[in-house]
Amino acid sequence: GKTTLLSVLVGLRRPRAGTVSVAGVDGRAARFGFVPQTFSVPPEVRVVEAVRHAGWVNGVDRRAGAGAALRALEAVDLAELGRERVRALSGGQRQRLGVAAGLAHDPDVLILDEPTVGLDPTQRVRVREVVASLGASRTVLLSTHVLEDVHHLCHRVGLLAGGRIAFDGTVDEVKAA
């Protein structure tokens, strides 16, 4: 259910029936940024080039790519590491690099699939801080099974069961259920 839903949202699959809207925007009209659970970049690539490439793949003009990459890296607090090679990054920094890549084309909706899984507690908190700050300026759709992430980051919760939305409500309503 989860993988199918995310694939439909980001345009990798077409829905068999019905329509998709996120934050009141038709899914076909919205620009999505997507950070998969497993985000990888060749270790020899420089951080800024990885983000610049992600922007280019998502329609950012080549001339605007450097500026877009810098803005995305600043948003995730990695601008000072832009010249470093990806291999020099910690696990949490690599995850934030993935978020920067998802932001490079300034999407309307940022979709994050399990952004804190596999991170140590300190890195998990840092990624949460970045995600929370991004949520202040855009819609962020978070797919996670880490309830602590839901508690710290989410305003609304949708629970999937058997490929269908079994619950849609606030975090407080989830806690009460």
Side-chain angles (χ1 to χ4, degrees):
K2 175 187 87 161
T3 300
T4 301
L5 175 62
L6 295 180
S7 295
V8 168
L9 287 175
V10 300
L12 296 174
R13 293 178 72 168
R14 292 192 185 278
R16 284 188 245 160
T19 60
V20 175
S21 68
V22 177
V25 177
D26 182 332
R28 295 169 297 184
R31 290 180 311 140
F32 291 95
F34 178 57
V35 182
Q37 182 173 347
T38 305
F39 174 80
S40 64
V41 175
E44 67 278 358
V45 173
R46 294 197 188 277
V47 169
V48 70
E49 290 306 317
V51 178
R52 186 174 173 175
H53 179 74
W56 176 76
V57 166
N58 285 290
V60 174
D61 182 79
R62 194 175 296 257
R63 292 178 300 265
L70 182 58
R71 283 188 298 280
L73 288 169
E74 286 173 348
V76 300
D77 198 24
L78 284 180
E80 74 284 354
L81 298 176
R83 302 289 308 150
E84 295 292 327
R85 304 233 183 246
V86 170
R87 71 172 151 257
L89 301 180
S90 69
Q93 290 169 331
R94 286 180 195 216
Q95 196 64 13
R96 287 188 281 145
L97 170 60
V99 174
L103 289 172
H105 64 293
D106 194 28
D108 303 313
V109 179
L110 181 64
I111 299 173
L112 306 174
D113 188 9
E114 302 284 358
T116 65
V117 169
L119 299 179
D120 69 40
T122 301
Q123 293 171 337
R124 179 172 280 157
V125 167
R126 183 66 192 113
V127 169
R128 273 192 206 132
E129 290 169 351
V130 166
V131 172
S133 69
L134 293 171
S137 62
R138 74 185 71 240
T139 299
V140 177
L141 191 146
L142 177 70
S143 170
T144 186
H145 68 277
V146 179
L147 296 179
E148 193 174 341
D149 288 350
V150 173
H151 174 75
H152 288 287
L153 293 172
C154 299
H155 300 288
R156 292 201 61 83
V157 177
L159 299 176
L160 289 179
R164 300 203 177 276
I165 296 176
F167 175 85
D168 177 22
T170 67
V171 173
D172 289 337
E173 290 170 336
V174 170
K175 289 178 185 177

